Amino acid sequence: MTAALRLTAIIILLAGLALGSAPASAESIKIGTGSTAGVYFQVGRAICHMLGKFTAARQIACESPPTAGSISNLRNLRAGNLQIGVAQSDWQFHALYGTGPFAEAGPDNGLRALFSVHGEPLTLVARRDAGIAKLDDLSGKRVNMGNPGSGQRATMEVVMAAKGWTADTFSMADALGAFQMSMALCHDRIQAMVYTVGHPNGAVGKAAELCDAVIVEVKDAVIDKLVAENPYYAYTTVPGGLYPGNPDPTTTFGVKATVVTSADLPDDVAYAIVETVFANLDAFKSLHPAFAALEARAMTVDGLSAPLHPGAARYFREAGLM
């Protein structure tokens, strides 16, 4: 064999060895989150961070762009534009059963749950000079309801329907996103804003610090009935002292933030994502203050209406969490 032929043979052999030992091609996932000012965006970033730092068994390329929020995420997940979405527990329920804003599309039989994360109270924030001490005081005021496609807007619309309100109940019903509404409150463009979000939250903190805003109680007979009739709602409190000028706890109602996917996500990918988060839960909890109180067992059941994805269920069984 000539030297040239020997060299060619060696090159072919090395190439074959390299191909044989190469890892499988990376799985690519896109996580639908929310506004950059909200905690959903941090949930997506945290999951991608964890996958990049801890996943060794399988390469998973992960991106978590900002989106319009829960309802948009659920619709895009069903359409195949996302592999994972973060969504309020109430809108997860409605997407699964084809009710509320999903009535036209019908039930999403392919919706699957991975786990839940933090609680999300409907937070009513008002200028101190606006004379808003309770929910009914919003009548005749300039109110930001949230951007279309967001969970906060949809939840506010549920409250409005229960109260018999329309947009005309307010002197102005604005549709600003989370990133804009705090400064709109400070500049007196709006007198109140609603935000379904985990706490502490930067947008709420900005409103409290920069324009002396107050968090207002959301509780009356109508809300009592709403909570009693819907299993995905529960009363909760925004702790006192969390924000400047708000020393007392404030009662409101809320939902859970949940991480959902579709039945199309491969089982091993779902398993790897859940394993990475739960096997390193302390590291995950350290990535945002809203995650600090997370408990593994509660994350497997709270707020989850959709069936668990088989990959998630397998990990939970192996870990003794179900």
Side-chain angles (χ1 to χ4, degrees), residues 98-185:
T99 54
F102 303 96
E104 185 175 345
D108 184 356
N109 296 318
L111 186 63
R112 297 292 182 267
L114 292 177
F115 53 88
S116 64
V117 274
H118 57 282
E120 294 195 290
L122 179 71
T123 309
L124 172 56
V125 184
R127 290 178 59 91
R128 196 177 295 272
D129 61 7
I132 301 172
K134 59 184 184 298
L135 187 61
D136 284 345
D137 292 336
L138 291 180
S139 179
K141 300 297 196 299
R142 301 186 302 277
V143 180
N144 186 63
M145 296 171 56
N147 57 292
S150 67
Q152 71 203 61
R153 183 185 182 96
T155 302
M156 184 58 180
E157 288 173 346
V158 168
V159 170
M160 289 168 61
K163 300 286 286 185
W165 293 350
T166 68
D168 292 337
T169 300
F170 315 118
S171 61
M172 181 177 73
D174 217 332
L176 299 172
F179 189 74
Q180 304 166 290
M181 60 188 180
S182 295
M183 294 313 297
L185 192 77

Side-chain angles (χ1 to χ4, degrees), residues 27 107 118 131 193 260 319:
E27 185 76 29
H118 57 282
M193 65 186 200
V260 294

Side-chain angles (χ1 to χ4, degrees), residues 107-278:
D108 184 356
N109 296 318
L111 186 63
R112 297 292 182 267
L114 292 177
F115 53 88
S116 64
V117 274
H118 57 282
E120 294 195 290
L122 179 71
T123 309
L124 172 56
V125 184
R127 290 178 59 91
R128 196 177 295 272
D129 61 7
I132 301 172
K134 59 184 184 298
L135 187 61
D136 284 345
D137 292 336
L138 291 180
S139 179
K141 300 297 196 299
R142 301 186 302 277
V143 180
N144 186 63
M145 296 171 56
N147 57 292
S150 67
Q152 71 203 61
R153 183 185 182 96
T155 302
M156 184 58 180
E157 288 173 346
V158 168
V159 170
M160 289 168 61
K163 300 286 286 185
W165 293 350
T166 68
D168 292 337
T169 300
F170 315 118
S171 61
M172 181 177 73
D174 217 332
L176 299 172
F179 189 74
Q180 304 166 290
M181 60 188 180
S182 295
M183 294 313 297
L185 192 77
C186 288
H187 293 151
D188 204 19
R189 170 177 168 176
I190 58 174
Q191 295 168 291
M193 65 186 200
V194 291
Y195 200 7
T196 306
V197 71
H199 294 278
N201 172 260
V204 177
K206 183 186 293 185
E209 182 176 1
L210 298 183
C211 49
D212 194 28
V214 294
I215 300 173
V216 179
E217 181 178 83
V218 181
K219 187 183 188 308
D220 59 21
V222 171
I223 303 300
D224 288 344
K225 186 172 185 289
L226 195 62
V227 169
E229 292 178 349
N230 296 282
Y232 40 77
Y233 290 144
Y235 274 120
T236 186
T237 60
V238 179
L242 203 57
Y243 301 108
N246 289 267
D248 300 320
T250 307
T251 300
T252 182
F253 77 102
V255 294
K256 280 278 188 179
T258 65
V259 180
V260 294
T261 185
S262 80
D264 294 333
L265 188 73
D267 288 4
D268 58 336
V269 177
Y271 182 97
I273 292 168
V274 174
E275 179 188 38
T276 299
V277 171
F278 280 75

